[in-house]
Amino acid sequence: GINAEYGELSDWEGRHLLAVQQFYREDYVAAMYTYRDILEKYPLDLHACNLGFELGAVTGHTEFLRDVPLSVVEHYKPHMPHYGLVHGKLCFGYCEMGQYDRAGKSGGIALEAFPLDSWAVHSMCHVHENQAQTEEAVKFLERTSGDWSRGANFSQHIYWHQANGYLQLQQYEEALAVYDEHVEKGTRNGNTFSLSDACSFLMRLRIDGQNTGGREESIARLWAQHIDEFTVLFYDGHAALSAAMVGDTSCLQTMLENLGEYLKSDRGGWNKIVTSQHGTDLIQGMLAMSAGEYGEAADKLLSSISGVMKKIHGSKSQKSIFLLTTVYCCILSEQESHLLGAEQKLKEFYGMEWSDNPSTTFINDFWDKIQLAHSKK
């Protein structure tokens, strides 16, 4: 714990200390609200803005991705150093909330202020992706690559978006070239963020019926080093998916045992709450998929997917791999109840009038497969 004697603290220091203590206890939601409260009194506190925004992503409180930067953006003027940065965050927040016109406007302001802002480029890519504008997203990244590829710690994730775009356009050679040159390279230090990108891309490739060339083997070995950490369910889900892709049932069984110990431990916080609600079914679903038991996998994944999509870390683009995997298992199970379940989940997350609201070409293809499966009944 934090036991040092601090003496007299200012109001600002005391609030930040409280946020750190909450974060230390893994009470990410409380820390998120503390940072929001700091911004009400100190709107130019960029550290509070960054962490309040990030914790909104970590805890699935999507509205915070919009509301945190929106609460302070009027205090940043064009001549100020972080004017573009705050607009880039606002672009992403608007996008995740489905307010695409506003997202595009904020993203344009951010890139006009600082074209090298990788986060703003990334946010604008999401704006295109979430509206199923795959060609526009790919062309945008190609056009701006001279700027964002210079980034030291985020370009790898933008390359993931680019590889996904090529995959959706069925430009498989280009997709794999980007993966091999950039996405996979970022995984070699075992970073979980980079590993999640790699695992997700390879599962998308498999779902699309393409040969992965055994690339998932090295990713699964790296993920196996993280199966007892339980920091956020987003990463645990990817670790389980990676093991399932290579048929490593032993790893998944160990992960379930570790999960049980974690849930019985004294650790608290938001991730433990979410994991206790949805983690076991998610990982058991991956285990069943690994064994080719697609009916059981569909049951487990359908029971957990709503909570996973709403409560865990990540953007819509990132979390969609769990929905894609769920629908994939439902289709392979060929049971009508699972097909209807997949149909319901697609409508739940991508709109009741599907034909008017496609989110990705992947999901659109799945929809066609579901209708085809229905027609065979």
Side-chain angles (χ1 to χ4, degrees):
I2 301 174
N3 299 311
E5 293 294 331
Y6 293 98
E8 185 175 352
L9 299 176
S10 69
D11 174 74
W12 177 77
E13 291 169 331
R15 290 169 184 258
H16 272 283
L17 176 59
L18 174 61
V20 170
Q21 290 170 325
Q22 291 165 332
F23 192 91
Y24 177 82
R25 295 194 299 267
E26 300 185 69
D27 193 353
Y28 302 138
V29 174
M32 178 184 71
Y33 279 104
T34 296
Y35 286 120
R36 182 202 65 179
D37 293 344
I38 289 172
L39 290 171
E40 288 181 359
K41 192 170 184 179
Y42 308 98
L44 294 179
D45 186 336
L46 189 64
H47 181 70
C49 181
N50 286 337
L51 288 178
F53 179 88
E54 179 62 25
L55 288 172
V58 168
T59 62
H61 285 71
T62 306
E63 68 278 8
F64 269 68
L65 298 173
R66 175 195 61 195
D67 295 348
V68 166
L70 184 60
S71 71
V72 301
V73 70
E74 67 178 357
H75 296 277
Y76 285 85
K77 308 304 178 185
H79 68 276
M80 298 172 70
H82 304 299
Y83 173 75
L85 184 149
V86 174
H87 276 281
K89 290 183 182 299
L90 186 54
C91 170
F92 187 80
Y94 276 137
C95 178
E96 288 296 292
M97 294 298 293
Q99 296 173 274
Y100 300 119
D101 289 343
R102 293 184 179 185
K105 181 178 179 180
S106 293
I109 292 172
L111 289 174
E112 183 178 357
F114 188 51
L116 298 182
D117 185 345
S118 295
W119 180 263
V121 170
H122 163 258
S123 299
M124 286 297 290
C125 180
H126 274 268
V127 173
H128 290 303
E129 288 179 348
N130 286 15
Q131 298 179 90
Q133 298 170 350
T134 307
E135 288 190 25
E136 290 88 340
V138 168
K139 290 177 180 178
F140 170 71
L141 292 181
E142 290 174 344
R143 186 171 67 251
T144 58
S145 63
D147 296 327
W148 60 261
S149 63
R150 296 165 61 181
N153 64 352
F154 200 62
S155 60
Q156 175 268 334
H157 181 63
I158 301 178
Y159 279 119
W160 172 77
H161 281 278
Q162 187 175 51
N164 284 341
Y166 286 134
L167 178 55
Q168 290 185 30
L169 295 175
Q170 299 181 321
Q171 297 177 14
Y172 299 119
E173 290 186 8
E174 291 87 344
L176 284 169
V178 172
Y179 174 85
D180 290 337
E181 178 64 24
H182 302 287
V183 179
E184 187 277 334
K185 187 181 294 184
T187 69
R188 296 174 189 174
N189 64 358
N191 177 273
T192 52
F193 181 58
S194 301
L195 285 171
S196 70
D197 283 347
C199 169
S200 174
F201 171 80
L202 293 173
M203 186 60 188
R204 284 172 163 83
L205 192 68
R206 176 178 293 189
I207 288 171
D208 206 45
Q210 302 304 306
N211 189 342
T212 62
R215 291 172 173 84
E216 61 268 41
E217 297 287 344
S218 63
I219 302 304
R221 286 194 296 271
L222 290 167
W223 264 124
Q225 302 170 19
H226 299 282
I227 62 171
D228 60 352
E229 294 175 356
F230 302 107
T231 54
V232 290
L233 185 56
F234 173 80
Y235 290 134
D236 299 327
H238 278 84
L241 176 59
S242 187
M245 289 181 68
V246 298
D248 193 345
T249 57
S250 175
C251 179
L252 286 161
Q253 291 284 8
T254 300
M255 192 171 187
L256 283 168
E257 293 171 7
N258 293 342
L259 175 63
E261 293 300 315
Y262 165 60
L263 294 177
K264 290 188 293 184
S265 73
D266 293 332
R267 284 175 63 184
W270 175 256
N271 183 63
K272 189 172 184 179
I273 294 171
V274 174
T275 300
S276 68
Q277 295 170 343
H278 309 293
T280 301
D281 279 349
L282 178 63
I283 297 173
Q284 286 179 341
M286 298 299 179
L287 176 60
M289 182 179 73
S290 176
E293 300 291 341
Y294 294 110
E296 182 181 350
D299 284 335
K300 294 293 185 180
L301 295 175
L302 283 171
S303 72
S304 62
I305 191 60
S306 291
V308 167
M309 291 293 288
K310 293 174 183 177
K311 295 182 179 180
I312 72 168
H313 171 96
S315 67
K316 289 179 180 178
S317 295
Q318 290 174 301
K319 292 187 287 190
S320 67
I321 190 58
F322 298 115
L323 180 59
L324 293 171
T325 301
T326 299
V327 178
Y328 176 69
C329 289
C330 288
I331 291 173
L332 292 178
S333 83
E334 298 185 342
Q335 296 181 34
E336 186 173 0
S337 62
H338 293 148
L339 294 172
L340 291 171
E343 184 177 23
Q344 189 275 326
K345 296 304 177 185
L346 287 173
K347 289 180 177 179
E348 179 180 348
F349 292 105
Y350 292 98
M352 293 304 293
E353 295 299 328
W354 175 256
S355 62
D356 296 331
N357 188 27
S359 180
T360 69
T361 53
F362 266 146
I363 294 289
N364 223 16
D365 289 342
F366 273 131
W367 185 259
D368 292 340
K369 290 177 183 178
I370 288 171
Q371 298 309 310
L372 178 62
H374 272 306
S375 70
K376 293 180 179 178
K377 294 296 181 181

